[in-house]
Amino acid sequence: MGRSRYKVIYSENQPHFVTCTIINWIPVFIQPEIVQIVLNSLSFMQREKRLALHGYVLMENHLHLIVTSSELSTQMRNFKSFTARSIIDLLEKNKTTNILDQLEFYKKLHKKNQKYQLWQEGFHPQAILNEEMLLQKLEYIHNNPVRRGYVDDPACWRYSSYRNYLDRDGLLVVDLIDF
C-alpha cells in the first residue's frame, strides 16, 4: 500500500498510542547496541521537550509508544529518520549483511534515493481519549512480551515502561498522565 494523500490531523498535546514496525517484521532489535540507539533517541527527544513519553515497549521487530507531542507527525518522522540512519550505519560498520540484504530486498520501490529501508511507512496513531483507553493500551504494550512467550512477568522485560509503573527505575523516564 502506498502513501496516503490525506493529511492526518492530530490533537495538539493529546496523548497518542503509536506503533513503529521494521520493514517485513525483520528482527533488528535483537542486538543491544541497536536497541540502545532507539532508547537514546527517545531519551534525547524527551530532554529536548519534543515529546513526552508515557509508556513504551520495544520488541524484536517493532515498538509501541504512548506519547504526547504538539508536533507528533514531525517528531515521529524525525525519530524514524534518525534511528534508521544510525542503525543502518551500525549494521554496515559491523558488516551485518544478513539484515542489510533483507532491508535492501524489502525496500519499497518508490524509495529510489536510498539503498535500504528500515521502518515501515507510517506510525498508526490513535488518540488516547480517556483513562480507560490509556489503561487498556498500557496493559496491551506491557503484556506484549508475555503474549509472545518471552517472559512470564512483564516486569522481567527490560525494554518496557512496566517497571516505571511499579515505582521502580526503568531504562527511560516515563511521564504519567492525569485525566
Side-chain angles (χ1 to χ4, degrees):
M1 182 172 161
R3 292 179 184 220
S4 171
R5 65 181 140 177
Y6 302 107
K7 182 175 175 151
V8 179
I9 305 298
Y10 307 101
S11 302
E12 196 167 309
N13 293 321
Q14 176 77 39
H16 284 78
F17 171 78
V18 301
T19 300
C20 300
T21 306
I22 299 296
I23 191 101
N24 205 54
W25 296 85
I26 300 166
V28 171
F29 302 129
I30 56 175
Q31 299 175 22
E33 278 182 298
I34 291 176
V35 169
Q36 199 58 52
I37 290 170
V38 173
L39 296 175
N40 289 348
S41 182
L42 289 171
S43 181
F44 171 82
M45 294 179 81
Q46 289 178 285
R47 279 193 317 276
E48 295 297 312
K49 308 285 190 234
R50 296 181 183 186
L51 60 76
L53 182 65
H54 309 295
Y56 69 94
V57 67
L58 183 62
M59 301 297 289
E60 75 278 7
N61 52 21
H62 68 285
L63 70 111
H64 297 293
L65 306 171
I66 299 175
V67 292
T68 301
S69 174
S70 61
E71 300 176 322
L72 183 62
S73 186
T74 299
Q75 296 311 325
M76 292 307 299
R77 183 176 55 250
N78 291 344
F79 167 78
K80 289 173 72 173
S81 177
F82 175 80
T83 54
R85 181 74 270 147
S86 299
I87 290 168
I88 289 168
D89 287 349
L90 181 64
L91 292 170
E92 288 177 328
K93 177 183 156 211
N94 293 344
K95 297 178 179 24
T96 314
T97 55
N98 60 332
I99 294 176
L100 288 169
D101 289 347
Q102 292 178 70
L103 296 178
E104 183 176 14
F105 180 80
Y106 291 110
K107 175 185 78 152
K108 299 295 180 194
L109 293 176
H110 69 272
K111 303 250 182 207
K112 296 184 188 308
N113 295 333
Q114 61 194 59
K115 186 172 182 179
Y116 306 108
Q117 180 179 349
L118 182 82
W119 296 106
Q120 288 183 15
E121 293 178 350
F123 59 98
H124 316 287
Q126 292 180 301
I128 304 290
L129 304 174
N130 54 46
E131 185 176 6
E132 179 184 353
M133 187 175 184
L134 172 66
L135 295 174
Q136 184 268 330
K137 295 300 184 187
L138 282 171
E139 185 172 317
Y140 174 80
I141 66 175
H142 291 153
N143 283 299
N144 206 322
V146 176
R147 283 190 306 278
R148 297 291 299 262
Y150 297 151
V151 295
D152 292 327
D153 179 353
C156 295
W157 190 255
R158 65 181 290 139
Y159 302 121
S160 108
S161 56
Y162 187 78
R163 293 179 189 173
N164 300 78
Y165 284 89
L166 297 176
D167 283 332
R168 293 173 35 199
D169 288 337
L171 295 177
L172 295 171
V173 174
V174 171
D175 299 309
L176 303 179
I177 301 176
D178 254 347
F179 275 100

